[in-house]
Amino acid sequence: MIHFVLLISRQGKVRLTKWYSPYSQKERTKVIRELSGVILTRGPKLCNFVEWKGYKVVYKRYASLYFCMCIDQEDNELEVLEIIHHYVEILDRYFGSVCELDLIFNFHKAYYILDELLIAGELQEPSKKTVARLISAQDSLVETAKEQRSSISNIIAQATK
Amino acid sequence: MEQLKTIGRELAMGSQGGFGQSKEFLDLVKSIGEARSKAEEDRIVLHEIETLKRRISEPDIPKRKMKEYIIRLVYFEMLGHDASFGYIHAVKMTHDDTLLLKRTGYLAVTLFLNDDHDLIILIVNTIQKDLRSDNYLVVCAALNAVCRLINEETIPAVLPQVVDLLSHSKEAVRKKAIMALHRFYQKSPSSVSHLVSNFRKRLCDNDPGVMGATLCPLFDLITIEVHSYKDLVVSFVSILKQVAERRLPKSYDYHQMPAPFIQIRLLKILALLGSGDKQASENMYTVVGDILRKCDSSSNIGNAVLYECVCCVSSIYPNPKLLEVAADVISRFLKSDSHNLKYMGIDSLGRLIKMSPEIAEQHQLAVIDCLEDPDDTLKRKTFELLYKMTKSSNVEVIVDRMIDYMISINDNHYKTYIASRCVELAEQFAPSNHWFILTMNKVFEHAGDLVNVKVAHNLMRLIAEGFGEDDDAADSQLRSSAVESYLHIIGEPKLPSVFLQVICWVLGEYGTADGKYSASYITGKLCDVAEACSNDETVKAYAVTAIMKIYAFEIAAGRKVDMLHECQSLVEELSASHSTDLQQRAYELQAVICLDAHAVENIIPSDASCEDVEIDKNLSFLNSYVQQSLENGAQPYIPETGRSGMSDTINFRSQDQPEASMHGLRFEAYELPKPPVPSRMHTASLEPSTELVPVSEPAYSRDTHQVATVPSVSDAGSSELKLRLDGVQKKWGRPAYSSSAPSTSSSTSQNTVNGVTQVDAAGSVISKAHKTNDSRKPRVEISPEKQKLAASLFGGSSQTEKRPTTASHKVTKAGSHAAGKKSQAPKSAVVSNQVTVEKTIHQPPPDLLDLGEPAVPSATPSVDPFKQLEGLLDPTQVSSTANHGAVGATESPDIIALYGKTPASGHSSSAAISLPTNGDGVNFTAGLLDATISTTHAGTTLPTQSIKGLNAKDSLEKDALVRQMGVTPSSQNPNLFRDLLS
């Protein structure tokens, strides 16, 4: 099971955190500090895995952003590496060649996508298409809601004229 | 350029409204992003939090604005600041009717709250409502929140609705409902135990996503209780087969792999189901073998699946063929340049080594490279592997390496871990007492504060009790070497407290035992210790008691004791100590010293630390004293129950509540039996108990098929620190995972010297056997140092290989037989002698059939081919075959003659393929002949090609035949059979 997902920039700035196991705010800060200390200092050709307090942290760097997931001892590291990649691919498809700025300004979108990909610390949907479909369904609903609202306000505006 | 791009993006976002965010928010994010230091960032955030606090509690905020505020809160929380003042607003937002806001609300609460937060209770009602919504997106959002927020108490509130959603028309909802139930199961197994059948049902869902999701809870359920899911083996296998054959929709492909994530989950489940279950495992061999063969090893995801296959192969009932393929995968991993793959290779080597200990040897240099790699992760994994392959012959090298590494790191968590590993290995495999003591000293010196206190106590006990044998000389030698090393080490500054306690105790108990050191010398040292750690009362207490013991022994031996001056001052100081314990010890010391020899000997007998102290609970030794008092007119003792006045109530009460007899008061209400609460619980938990009884199955089953008979050396040991002292001596000198009785005689130091050459030889043999793989790798570059290390690590195992195996387990025999032959075959005359020797051992006819034992799984399990063989072949024929084989090994011309004949016989045995059940004697003998030849020839005469060209079905049938013949095909063998049979 995945205990948490972290996105950290190369400078150690947090871009996204998602906790699937209970951690208090204090613990969260501590975890982020410790892990960014460990992961950001690792050389480029080393393993993408770090053993950490009885857990394993799998990380991968995309441009200036580190994607980290903390998993149990018995989980398959290579698989988790691919889950990270899977997520990045979906983000890429959604934002259209995603970059760190997209995630900085639209972190809540990244959360929604993550929620469709992982649930309760497990991969819930291995198909990129399905995730994309669900997200666009949500977005279109939001759009229609917006349109409705604007049209209603137009009507009201016209009526009150 | 970069900046232009940035600006462009920002503009684009601005024009889109940045998915509906205001300029203000974008500016905020930007200013935080541009903050030069953490302090500056904090300042901005804190300022912003203040304004937000004010604004968010204003009345009548437009919803759109509120949504943005909530997102800002999420952002601050993400940056590690406390946004708890806004939680309630997020909760309120979940009540909103529009999905847009509701979704934001749910996102915020799932990020803010843990499942034990007080506000959860305010959300449950909304969740209930939303789960019933017509809009499936609302339901999805609610289910996301359910997975995160619902705790044990609130499960019943939403459970019925979640169960209803299992049959929702949208697959996304079904999937999330499954995962929610899985979460419930993790939080409180009893709450959903009656719903377990739903998971089985959903396995047949026509949406692959839902089916894949169902595998998660099933994996958990199967982990706990394997037996009730054995019926699903066939389903899982057929699903896996379909997935691997690309029957799923294209959209589940990932980097050209068919649904790898589902494959991995299925393999995990199969590994559980097949563990220690031959019958179940037989169903899996084909599909796992197919995946292993076909899987694309160039992509990362392909390797992930391959790794999972190796895990599965090493967990299920062993199949020599699969183990062979798995070993190939591992060697591919280890030879890779990628650190990730090396890491996985080391890990899977550690798994497979339980099954076939000899495979580590091929990779000795790769393992040593990993051990010396600068990458800590890889290094630690390699230590893990070494831990698994430790035996008495290599324990010194391994533990030394571990301790060196332990000293070099700062990570306390891992330091503790590796220290306990060192202790465990030292206890199990220590070659000599002296080494053991020295090793323990090092561990205590560098990680003394981190190791469990029990380890120290066990060390003391070990020194006191000796190593279980009635060899007093060895025991006293152990003790004096301990004393010596402690006296040597005692002067060092900053020793950990636990270690000092051990030192004090041992010096007190045995410091003067061998007469080498005088009492005053030892007590002087002890006084120094007590003075040096003036803050540590435990150490002081140990020191004082030790001093007392030393003096007591002196007095008992009839020698005159004159207390050292510093000792005296120490005792005086302690008798005025704040600690009553120290005071008492000091006074006791003073009292003991004044007694005569006889009394002292009774109080503190020499070397009696491990004798049981018998406690006379009846205080019978006081009988005469009581008698005397009674005669002098004292009142006799009246038992409490018999005392006047109390008797009625007490008697009455003691009928049902004897333990309450201390109290004088009675409370009627307490005596009424009140079963309802517990009984309800009981019935509730009764029905699940049939399904959810936690069985310690994995551990058990692992044991059953574990190769070595050593009782789960690592399994049990890794988690607990406790010493298993009983039978420690027995374990010494025994191997961890190698089945054969290893290095019984040769002492380790010699071994390392000899080992160099030995391993060299073995290594070159292997390289010959694996010509295709190894020959291009030049061996020159390997430094002698590494070779030496390799020799000392792996030397033991190369020795064992040559010895005929004695372990009773079939599989081991199979494995080592195959390996033994593989490596022996290329060696010409010398080794073939050995083959002959082996053959002669097997000379008696029934034993020859033993050769066929490795055929663990036969493709047609209903028929036992060896039974048939036994019936069909008469003894003479068999022995002649045996001779043939033996001759074949020694006289090469003969082999060629035989080899020439093979096409014909091969033909006849290919006829046997079609009718494997009723093959006649001729076919079988012919086949057997072939088999014998092939084993002796493996790897030498054959051209090595890849197996790819083989038709899968064809090769399967051949497999079956091969297994019936009783041969373990090495990697080259399939080609042999291809040549022979087709």
Side-chain angles (χ1 to χ4, degrees), chain B residues 394-622:
Chain B
N394 56 16
V395 66
E396 286 173 274
V397 191
I398 290 178
V399 172
D400 280 355
R401 285 252 157 187
M402 282 185 174
I403 290 177
D404 285 349
Y405 182 64
M406 184 185 82
I407 295 170
S408 72
I409 56 172
N410 292 323
D411 172 2
N412 273 353
H413 184 270
Y414 193 71
K415 215 169 185 169
T416 317
Y417 176 76
I418 201 164
S420 67
R421 287 261 148 123
C422 289
V423 171
E424 198 184 316
L425 289 179
E427 277 161 3
Q428 272 173 3
F429 301 109
S432 71
N433 298 339
H434 183 65
W435 179 86
F436 178 74
I437 297 285
L438 287 182
T439 308
M440 294 305 279
N441 286 355
K442 267 195 229 160
V443 173
F444 273 116
E445 207 178 322
H446 297 286
D449 293 327
L450 301 172
V451 295
N452 196 317
V453 186
K454 271 186 186 162
V455 175
H457 292 174
N458 282 324
L459 175 62
M460 291 189 245
R461 213 169 91 199
L462 202 67
I463 294 174
E465 287 179 347
F467 289 105
E469 269 183 17
D470 295 328
D471 186 358
D472 284 343
D475 286 354
S476 57
Q477 192 212 335
L478 165 73
R479 287 166 195 158
S480 43
S481 77
V483 167
E484 194 135 339
S485 68
Y486 290 157
L487 284 175
H488 184 69
I489 225 168
I490 204 169
E492 296 199 6
K494 295 209 171 169
L495 290 175
S497 161
V498 184
F499 190 35
L500 283 173
Q501 290 166 26
V502 175
I503 292 179
C504 288
W505 187 85
V506 172
L507 289 184
E509 199 73 21
Y510 303 109
T512 54
D514 59 355
K516 206 167 160 187
Y517 299 101
S518 72
S520 58
Y521 179 70
I522 302 276
T523 47
K525 287 279 183 192
L526 287 168
C527 285
D528 292 346
V529 171
E531 261 165 50
C533 21
S534 46
N535 297 325
D536 192 335
E537 288 184 355
T538 327
V539 173
K540 269 193 197 167
Y542 268 90
V544 170
T545 308
I547 293 171
M548 175 167 77
K549 275 191 244 172
I550 299 270
Y551 283 138
F553 298 152
E554 288 295 294
I555 295 168
R559 284 186 286 262
K560 195 178 164 301
V561 173
D562 34 319
M563 223 168 159
L564 287 180
H565 178 68
E566 49 190 309
C567 231
Q568 222 132 22
S569 59
L570 176 72
V571 170
E572 273 159 29
E573 184 203 319
L574 292 188
S575 53
S577 165
H578 287 300
S579 154
T580 46
D581 177 53
L582 286 180
Q583 269 191 36
Q584 177 163 2
R585 281 171 201 261
Y587 283 122
E588 274 173 9
L589 170 61
Q590 282 168 335
V592 164
I593 285 176
C594 305
L595 294 173
D596 66 279
H598 179 69
V600 168
E601 200 173 358
N602 274 329
I603 299 171
I604 304 177
S606 164
D607 190 18
S609 57
C610 36
E611 264 149 47
D612 293 334
V613 178
E614 277 182 37
I615 296 170
D616 188 353
K617 279 186 189 160
N618 294 327
L619 307 178
S620 57
F621 56 89
L622 287 176

Side-chain angles (χ1 to χ4, degrees), chain B residues 322-394:
Chain B
L322 283 183
L323 287 176
E324 200 75 46
V325 188
D328 285 352
V329 170
I330 291 176
S331 66
R332 230 169 25 223
F333 280 173
L334 286 173
K335 279 177 193 136
S336 151
D337 285 333
S338 149
H339 271 68
N340 286 352
L341 289 185
K342 276 189 191 166
Y343 176 91
M344 300 315 263
I346 294 280
D347 181 86
S348 32
L349 195 58
R351 289 169 190 269
L352 214 61
I353 211 168
K354 292 184 213 160
M355 300 287 197
S356 39
E358 70 286 337
I359 71 157
E361 211 177 316
Q362 308 168 18
H363 305 299
Q364 35 185 302
L365 290 169
V367 170
I368 285 164
D369 279 342
C370 291
L371 189 64
E372 284 168 358
D373 200 278
D375 189 348
D376 258 6
T377 311
L378 198 52
K379 206 177 242 180
R380 291 178 187 188
K381 200 75 199 170
T382 315
F383 276 123
E384 191 90 348
L385 172 70
L386 291 183
Y387 168 77
K388 286 180 184 161
M389 47 184 264
T390 308
K391 48 196 151 200
S392 53
S393 57
N394 56 16

